[in-house]
Amino acid sequence: MSKASNKLNPTTEAIRIQIPRTDEGEHSAPLYLTSSFCFDEAETMRAAFADEIHENIYSRFTNPNVDEFIKKMCVLEGAEAGYATATGMAAVFVSVFALLKQGDHLICSRSVFGSTHTMVTKFLPRYGIEATLVDAADRQAWENAVKPNTKMVYLETPTNPQLELIDLEWAGSFAKKHNLILNVDNCFATPLLQRPIDFGAHIVVHSATKWIDGQGRVLGGVVVGQKELIHDIYLFSRNTGPSLSPFNAWILSKSLETLDVRLQRHCENAMKVALALKKHKNVEWVKYPFLEDHPQFEIAKKQMKAGGGIVCVEVKGGIEKGRQFLNKLNMISMTANLGDTRTIASHPASTTHSKLTEQERLNVGITPGLIRISVGLEFIDDIIADLSQALD
Ligand SMILES: *Cc1c(COP(=O)(O)O)cnc(C)c1O
């Protein structure tokens, strides 16, 4: 690792942490595309397998490029240890399945990422793990959900796509009071805008596919947190195989070098988009964590450094107008991803949540004309011009 790494700001560490240079003296870290690593002595190999020494053995377990990415994420999140996975969902999966067992109970916030919701409601029960979904804003519901076998609380803030916030300070004290593992999906904020561990989270999961890559190229995920919990996650993963590829780790580690500057521009552009759309006659309302009329603006100010890159707007005229709006966009992409350099718009009611009834959608906060905009890094006037002409 780099010299004097303890005294640097985490954003500098995200740039400077690097695996040891080879004899070539390369400035940019080389890519270790190797399945396994060689030993000179049978004894060293034995000791490595016995976990007595830390040596790379096989890239399903550890790999230098993957280690570099994990170390940067740990510094950014203020975590003791981490494990990186092939996708964000693999990170969510191992963070739950490695730590819970048959007979355990999980409390999960009702508004979580679609696949997380499916995992919790459809797959956990198959393995004898019970889950209770609660409305994030209803504190009594959290209290009522606690059972003698409750082991973990899982939540996401801000949520996708409704941008609801959960008070992390409160969640931290709730978990502490009931002696539960607090597991937070920090994908929407990234550690540069919000650090759940500072509020008492034990585990933080990420889809690195989104803002961390930030350029729509690779999928990846990471779990960071307390050493003992991560060790259990590591043992589970090393034997089940959801590991991140060295190539994707190399990309993601490089991406972290620019995350700070990218996010500054994403947040600045997003705020400008939010303010511009608020004035448009065909917009019912705009939701953005750092707008004063966001229902949880006070929480946003307390736990986030900026509002992030996602803006939600309700287009007047419901589902039909929502779809028309998307069809009229010229530059902005219609695609399922988010957290890209390019601005992306999507209409949850007719796509990701189309299988639900209207009432079910409303229950989870998906209104008919809701458009989720992932604000990119393009010149702000071009973004606003495209959105405005589509709304006109
Ligand atoms: C995209 C996303 C995930 C899943 O990540 P993948 O990399 O697509 O597997 C999990 N949580 C949130 C909040 C997401 O937006």
Short mmCIF file of all heavy atoms in Angstrom, two decimals, residues 265-279 286 288 291 311 375 379-381 383-384 387:
data_model
loop_
_atom_site.label_atom_id
_atom_site.label_comp_id
_atom_site.label_asym_id
_atom_site.label_seq_id
_atom_site.Cartn_x
_atom_site.Cartn_y
_atom_site.Cartn_z
N ARG A 265 -20.36 17.18 -9.75
CA ARG A 265 -21.08 17.68 -10.93
C ARG A 265 -22.47 17.06 -11.05
O ARG A 265 -23.43 17.74 -11.39
CB ARG A 265 -20.26 17.42 -12.19
CG ARG A 265 -20.96 17.84 -13.47
CD ARG A 265 -21.19 19.36 -13.55
NE ARG A 265 -19.99 20.06 -13.91
CZ ARG A 265 -19.59 20.29 -15.17
NH1 ARG A 265 -20.32 19.88 -16.16
NH2 ARG A 265 -18.46 20.92 -15.40
N HIS A 266 -22.58 15.74 -10.73
CA HIS A 266 -23.91 15.10 -10.77
C HIS A 266 -24.87 15.83 -9.84
O HIS A 266 -26.00 16.13 -10.21
CB HIS A 266 -23.82 13.63 -10.32
CG HIS A 266 -23.32 12.67 -11.37
ND1 HIS A 266 -24.00 12.42 -12.53
CD2 HIS A 266 -22.22 11.88 -11.40
CE1 HIS A 266 -23.33 11.51 -13.25
NE2 HIS A 266 -22.24 11.17 -12.58
N CYS A 267 -24.41 16.13 -8.62
CA CYS A 267 -25.28 16.76 -7.62
C CYS A 267 -25.64 18.18 -8.03
O CYS A 267 -26.78 18.61 -7.87
CB CYS A 267 -24.60 16.77 -6.24
SG CYS A 267 -24.39 15.12 -5.54
N GLU A 268 -24.66 18.89 -8.57
CA GLU A 268 -24.89 20.27 -9.00
C GLU A 268 -25.91 20.29 -10.16
O GLU A 268 -26.87 21.06 -10.14
CB GLU A 268 -23.53 20.80 -9.50
CG GLU A 268 -23.37 22.26 -9.69
CD GLU A 268 -21.96 22.52 -10.25
OE1 GLU A 268 -20.98 22.12 -9.59
OE2 GLU A 268 -21.86 23.09 -11.36
N ASN A 269 -25.71 19.41 -11.13
CA ASN A 269 -26.65 19.31 -12.25
C ASN A 269 -28.04 18.89 -11.79
O ASN A 269 -29.05 19.40 -12.27
CB ASN A 269 -26.13 18.32 -13.32
CG ASN A 269 -25.11 18.94 -14.26
OD1 ASN A 269 -24.81 20.13 -14.16
ND2 ASN A 269 -24.57 18.15 -15.17
N ALA A 270 -28.08 17.92 -10.85
CA ALA A 270 -29.37 17.41 -10.38
C ALA A 270 -30.16 18.52 -9.69
O ALA A 270 -31.37 18.66 -9.90
CB ALA A 270 -29.16 16.23 -9.43
N MET A 271 -29.49 19.32 -8.87
CA MET A 271 -30.18 20.42 -8.18
C MET A 271 -30.73 21.41 -9.21
O MET A 271 -31.87 21.87 -9.10
CB MET A 271 -29.20 21.10 -7.22
CG MET A 271 -29.80 22.23 -6.42
SD MET A 271 -31.23 21.68 -5.44
CE MET A 271 -30.68 22.06 -3.82
N LYS A 272 -29.95 21.69 -10.24
CA LYS A 272 -30.41 22.63 -11.27
C LYS A 272 -31.59 22.06 -12.06
O LYS A 272 -32.54 22.78 -12.37
CB LYS A 272 -29.26 22.98 -12.23
CG LYS A 272 -28.25 23.92 -11.58
CD LYS A 272 -27.08 24.22 -12.52
CE LYS A 272 -26.08 25.15 -11.83
NZ LYS A 272 -24.80 25.18 -12.54
N VAL A 273 -31.55 20.77 -12.34
CA VAL A 273 -32.67 20.11 -13.03
C VAL A 273 -33.92 20.20 -12.14
O VAL A 273 -35.00 20.54 -12.61
CB VAL A 273 -32.33 18.63 -13.37
CG1 VAL A 273 -33.57 17.82 -13.68
CG2 VAL A 273 -31.35 18.58 -14.54
N ALA A 274 -33.75 19.89 -10.85
CA ALA A 274 -34.89 19.91 -9.93
C ALA A 274 -35.53 21.29 -9.90
O ALA A 274 -36.76 21.43 -9.98
CB ALA A 274 -34.44 19.48 -8.53
N LEU A 275 -34.71 22.33 -9.79
CA LEU A 275 -35.24 23.69 -9.71
C LEU A 275 -35.92 24.10 -11.02
O LEU A 275 -36.98 24.73 -11.02
CB LEU A 275 -34.12 24.68 -9.35
CG LEU A 275 -33.58 24.54 -7.92
CD1 LEU A 275 -32.35 25.41 -7.72
CD2 LEU A 275 -34.65 24.86 -6.88
N ALA A 276 -35.33 23.71 -12.15
CA ALA A 276 -35.91 24.07 -13.45
C ALA A 276 -37.25 23.37 -13.66
O ALA A 276 -38.22 23.98 -14.12
CB ALA A 276 -34.93 23.71 -14.57
N LEU A 277 -37.32 22.08 -13.31
CA LEU A 277 -38.56 21.33 -13.55
C LEU A 277 -39.70 21.79 -12.66
O LEU A 277 -40.86 21.74 -13.05
CB LEU A 277 -38.32 19.82 -13.35
CG LEU A 277 -37.41 19.16 -14.37
CD1 LEU A 277 -37.29 17.67 -14.10
CD2 LEU A 277 -37.91 19.38 -15.80
N LYS A 278 -39.35 22.25 -11.47
CA LYS A 278 -40.38 22.76 -10.54
C LYS A 278 -41.20 23.87 -11.18
O LYS A 278 -42.36 24.07 -10.86
CB LYS A 278 -39.69 23.33 -9.29
CG LYS A 278 -39.81 22.45 -8.06
CD LYS A 278 -38.96 23.01 -6.94
CE LYS A 278 -39.82 23.79 -5.97
NZ LYS A 278 -40.41 22.94 -4.94
N LYS A 279 -40.56 24.64 -12.08
CA LYS A 279 -41.23 25.79 -12.69
C LYS A 279 -42.07 25.40 -13.90
O LYS A 279 -42.78 26.23 -14.45
CB LYS A 279 -40.16 26.81 -13.12
CG LYS A 279 -39.45 27.45 -11.95
CD LYS A 279 -38.65 28.65 -12.44
CE LYS A 279 -37.44 28.90 -11.56
NZ LYS A 279 -36.17 28.82 -12.30
N VAL A 286 -41.89 17.90 -7.94
CA VAL A 286 -40.51 17.43 -8.11
C VAL A 286 -40.01 16.96 -6.76
O VAL A 286 -40.29 17.59 -5.74
CB VAL A 286 -39.59 18.57 -8.63
CG1 VAL A 286 -38.14 18.12 -8.70
CG2 VAL A 286 -40.06 19.07 -9.98
N TYR A 288 -36.53 15.87 -4.65
CA TYR A 288 -35.07 15.81 -4.61
C TYR A 288 -34.67 16.03 -3.15
O TYR A 288 -35.16 16.97 -2.51
CB TYR A 288 -34.46 16.88 -5.53
CG TYR A 288 -32.95 16.82 -5.61
CD1 TYR A 288 -32.31 15.72 -6.17
CD2 TYR A 288 -32.17 17.86 -5.10
CE1 TYR A 288 -30.93 15.65 -6.22
CE2 TYR A 288 -30.77 17.79 -5.14
CZ TYR A 288 -30.17 16.67 -5.71
OH TYR A 288 -28.80 16.60 -5.75
N LEU A 291 -34.07 19.59 -1.86
CA LEU A 291 -35.07 20.66 -2.04
C LEU A 291 -35.77 20.82 -0.69
O LEU A 291 -36.13 19.82 -0.06
CB LEU A 291 -36.12 20.28 -3.09
CG LEU A 291 -35.75 20.37 -4.57
CD1 LEU A 291 -36.98 20.03 -5.42
CD2 LEU A 291 -35.19 21.73 -4.95
N VAL A 311 -33.30 12.65 -9.59
CA VAL A 311 -34.42 13.57 -9.40
C VAL A 311 -35.68 12.85 -9.84
O VAL A 311 -35.67 12.17 -10.87
CB VAL A 311 -34.24 14.85 -10.25
CG1 VAL A 311 -35.44 15.77 -10.11
CG2 VAL A 311 -32.96 15.58 -9.86
N VAL A 375 -29.41 12.14 -13.37
CA VAL A 375 -28.83 13.30 -14.04
C VAL A 375 -27.35 13.05 -14.33
O VAL A 375 -26.59 12.69 -13.42
CB VAL A 375 -29.03 14.57 -13.18
CG1 VAL A 375 -28.46 15.79 -13.90
CG2 VAL A 375 -30.51 14.77 -12.87
N PHE A 379 -23.51 19.10 -20.33
CA PHE A 379 -23.67 20.53 -20.03
C PHE A 379 -25.11 20.78 -19.60
O PHE A 379 -26.06 20.36 -20.28
CB PHE A 379 -23.31 21.35 -21.28
CG PHE A 379 -23.29 22.84 -21.03
CD1 PHE A 379 -22.44 23.39 -20.09
CD2 PHE A 379 -24.14 23.68 -21.75
CE1 PHE A 379 -22.42 24.76 -19.86
CE2 PHE A 379 -24.13 25.05 -21.52
CZ PHE A 379 -23.27 25.59 -20.58
N ILE A 380 -25.27 21.45 -18.46
CA ILE A 380 -26.59 21.54 -17.81
C ILE A 380 -27.68 22.11 -18.73
O ILE A 380 -28.82 21.64 -18.72
CB ILE A 380 -26.48 22.35 -16.48
CG1 ILE A 380 -27.82 22.36 -15.74
CG2 ILE A 380 -25.96 23.75 -16.68
CD1 ILE A 380 -28.31 21.01 -15.30
N ASP A 381 -27.35 23.11 -19.55
CA ASP A 381 -28.38 23.71 -20.41
C ASP A 381 -28.93 22.69 -21.40
O ASP A 381 -30.10 22.73 -21.76
CB ASP A 381 -27.80 24.90 -21.20
CG ASP A 381 -27.41 26.05 -20.27
OD1 ASP A 381 -27.59 25.91 -19.04
OD2 ASP A 381 -26.91 27.08 -20.77
N ILE A 383 -29.20 19.43 -20.86
CA ILE A 383 -30.08 18.49 -20.13
C ILE A 383 -31.44 19.14 -19.94
O ILE A 383 -32.49 18.55 -20.24
CB ILE A 383 -29.47 18.12 -18.75
CG1 ILE A 383 -28.09 17.49 -18.90
CG2 ILE A 383 -30.41 17.20 -17.99
CD1 ILE A 383 -27.36 17.24 -17.58
N ILE A 384 -31.43 20.38 -19.44
CA ILE A 384 -32.70 21.06 -19.14
C ILE A 384 -33.49 21.31 -20.43
O ILE A 384 -34.71 21.14 -20.45
CB ILE A 384 -32.44 22.36 -18.34
CG1 ILE A 384 -31.92 21.98 -16.94
CG2 ILE A 384 -33.71 23.20 -18.24
CD1 ILE A 384 -31.51 23.15 -16.07
N LEU A 387 -35.27 18.05 -21.43
CA LEU A 387 -36.39 17.76 -20.54
C LEU A 387 -37.55 18.72 -20.79
O LEU A 387 -38.72 18.30 -20.86
CB LEU A 387 -35.94 17.86 -19.07
CG LEU A 387 -34.95 16.80 -18.58
CD1 LEU A 387 -34.37 17.18 -17.22
CD2 LEU A 387 -35.62 15.43 -18.49
#
